[in-house]
Amino acid sequence: MISNPVLTAACPECAGEVPLQNVLVGEIIYCPDCSAELEVLNLEQPELGLAPEVAEDWGE
C-alpha cells in the first residue's frame, strides 16, 4: 500500500510545520504549534500567510 505524504508548509509566525491535509486555497487554518490563524495562499508550492484581521464595522 502506498501512502501519500502529507503536504506541509511553514508557519509565518513561528516557522513550525503546519499540515495541509484536506484544505483549500483561501481557507483559514490554525498552526498546531503557536495557534496563529493562517490563510492557505497556495497549495502547488505550499504557502501560508497570517490571516487578515476582520475589523468590526459596527453596522456601517
Side-chain angles (χ1 to χ4, degrees):
M1 183 178 225
I2 298 173
S3 65
N4 290 339
V6 174
L7 196 60
T8 62
C11 172
E13 187 74 18
C14 73
E17 195 170 280
V18 181
L20 301 177
Q21 194 168 9
N22 301 320
V23 297
L24 301 171
V25 171
E27 190 170 340
I28 303 298
I29 60 174
Y30 294 89
C31 174
D33 293 336
C34 71
S35 300
E37 279 190 10
L38 306 170
E39 181 178 7
V40 179
L41 301 176
N42 192 342
L43 289 173
E44 290 179 18
Q45 294 180 358
E47 182 182 3
L48 298 170
L50 293 175
E53 299 248 348
V54 177
E56 191 65 47
D57 69 1
W58 301 100
E60 294 175 12

